[in-house]
Every structure is written in C-alpha cells, then in structure tokens.
Amino acid sequence: QKEVEQNSGPLSVPEGAIASLNCTYSDRGSQSFFWYRQYSGKSPELIMSIYSNGDKEDGRFTAQLNKASQYVSLLIRDSQPSDSATYLCAVNKEETGANNLFFGTGTRLTVIP
Amino acid sequence: EAGVAQSPRYKIIEKRQSVAFWCNPISGHATLYWYQQILGQGPKLLIQFQNNGVVDDSQLPKDRFSAERLKGVDSTLKIQPAKLEDSAVYLCASSLEWGTEESYEQYFGPGTRLTVT
C-alpha cells in the first residue's frame, strides 16, 4: 500500500467552478498534511498546511482533514485558468527524529475558460 | 526573502559520468532536504540534514550517491557513476529547525533537471 494516494486525474472543471482534490494516507500516526501546487516544468510550491481535524481556509483554498478516515482534501473555489497545475498531497511522518514528507503522485487539474 | 537556490538548472551527462548539484537554503533554515522527482511521480526524499548532521539517508543509494552539508548552510549532492535511471529532477528544500508547526513546512528550490544518456 502506498503511503499517500491521489487520483491522478486529469480533473477538468469550468472556470468559476469548485475543484475538489482528494488524498488518502496509510499511516495513522501522521501529524502534518500539506498541499503543493506544481506547474509544468516548475518545482512544488506550498499552498496549504493543516495539522488538526476540520477545515482551514486561505483565500480561495480550503483544506479539510479527517484523521479518523485518513483523508485530506483541497477545495479550490472560483477556479481560474491559472489554477491549472498538478496538485501534490504530502504527509509528514516523524521517524527517529526525522521530518519525513511523503508525497502522492499528484492530481492534474485543468480549468477550462 | 530569497528562496532556495540551486545550480545548475539543467545538466546532460553520459552514463557512468559523475555530476554534482549545489543548494543554498533559505536564510535561517536549519533543515535541508534533497529529493528526487521522476517524471509523473511525486518527489522522493533522498537525504535530510539538520544543520550539518545527517538525520535520515535511508533512501539514498549510497553506492553511487553522496551528499554533504559543510558548515550547516550550503549542500552538494553527487552522483558517481550515473545510470540511465537517474534521469530526474533533483529538488532541494529547506525548513526551519524543528520545534513548531511551521518547522514542518518545506520550501523547494527550482530544481536541477538531469538527463543521463
């Protein structure tokens, strides 16, 4: 079983719609959860972090965490063409004092004008 | 605030040759990470430094990969000899020294795209 699983997509939504990206993780001991955005040919950019159950909002982005279900999601409201990118879910797993981050394979999002 | 710096941005070498990558983390970031990202996959951690000490290198192929972080700031990652399967983007990231939630947040440099022919 992979540490972090995401639907690879592609996910296509019309401009102005809500894009919903999902991620599940295998280790119940995971404490920290992150969403990175990666444009084609660029490096990952941190857009959201979440550490406790519930929702966390930042502008058009909302991260949702459910530790009981081992599930993390990212909602993008009022999607824009500039949101078209691959979204990587990452989960922190502390092991022997190391801050290890495990990434999913990413979900490619296309926002259609 | 300047971000993570990496060089070179691109490198093409033949198999069995050696190559080195350089990284300068965000000022004040004690923890430095090297990742390998193969096309279509998420980044995979190779090695993690806290200041100038190695915290985790369990996924580093030590027969051909080596890394150092002298003086606790800049770091170099070396591959010798390179294989075709080493073609990937090598990403450097940094974070604050552990102790707060913010210290778990890792910030990436632009990466070095390596092609081994």
Side-chain angles (χ1 to χ4, degrees):
Chain A
Q1 184 186 12
K2 291 183 180 178
E3 298 273 358
V4 180
E5 300 216 37
Q6 295 181 254
N7 188 327
S8 62
L11 173 66
S12 295
V13 299
E15 183 174 355
I18 296 175
S20 178
L21 304 159
N22 304 313
C23 170
T24 58
Y25 59 94
S26 62
D27 186 354
R28 283 197 172 275
S30 299
Q31 294 294 320
S32 310
F33 307 87
F34 307 91
W35 284 99
Y36 285 81
R37 178 176 62 198
Q38 188 170 29
Y39 291 114
S40 181
K42 302 294 186 183
S43 61
E45 174 193 7
L46 179 64
I47 55 172
M48 288 290 285
S49 57
I50 187 166
Y51 303 97
S52 53
N53 280 329
D55 296 359
K56 179 181 177 182
E57 187 175 318
D58 183 2
R60 295 186 297 111
F61 298 100
T62 299
Q64 299 175 317
L65 174 60
N66 184 327
K67 288 186 179 180
S69 300
Q70 295 175 245
Y71 178 88
V72 192
S73 66
L74 179 70
L75 300 178
I76 306 175
R77 289 182 302 280
D78 187 24
S79 295
Q80 301 297 310
S82 58
D83 295 326
S84 297
T86 295
Y87 288 81
L88 297 163
C89 174
V91 175
N92 171 275
K93 184 172 156 180
E94 286 188 60
E95 290 179 325
T96 60
N99 178 24
N100 290 340
L101 207 55
F102 291 86
F103 285 83
T105 55
T107 298
R108 195 190 324 170
L109 171 67
T110 300
V111 180
I112 303 166
Chain B
E1 180 182 80
V4 177
Q6 289 188 248
S7 68
R9 295 295 308 278
Y10 305 92
K11 191 75 177 178
I12 301 174
I13 61 172
E14 295 182 352
K15 59 183 179 184
R16 292 187 290 274
Q17 286 188 323
S18 63
V19 64
F21 312 125
W22 172 84
C23 172
N24 181 256
I26 294 172
S27 177
H29 279 195
T31 312
L32 185 147
Y33 314 79
W34 283 102
Y35 287 87
Q36 179 193 59
Q37 186 175 24
I38 293 172
L39 188 65
Q41 299 181 17
K44 185 185 86 170
L45 180 70
L46 294 174
I47 189 168
Q48 181 180 169
F49 293 93
Q50 173 90 333
N51 296 306
N52 61 348
V54 175
V55 177
D56 183 8
D57 63 356
S58 58
Q59 298 189 81
L60 188 73
K62 298 181 186 64
D63 58 332
R64 298 184 301 106
F65 286 65
S66 64
E68 61 182 10
R69 190 183 185 198
L70 301 176
K71 300 181 182 178
V73 182
D74 294 6
S75 176
T76 56
L77 176 70
K78 297 179 182 178
I79 308 175
Q80 181 178 15
K83 293 185 175 181
L84 296 177
E85 59 261 35
D86 298 331
S87 294
V89 175
Y90 290 85
L91 295 162
C92 179
S94 68
S95 67
L96 292 167
E97 188 163 5
W98 303 331
T100 64
E101 285 183 343
E102 287 73 24
S103 66
Y104 293 117
E105 297 175 356
Q106 298 183 22
Y107 297 90
F108 285 86
T112 298
R113 184 175 299 276
L114 173 67
T115 301
V116 182
T117 62

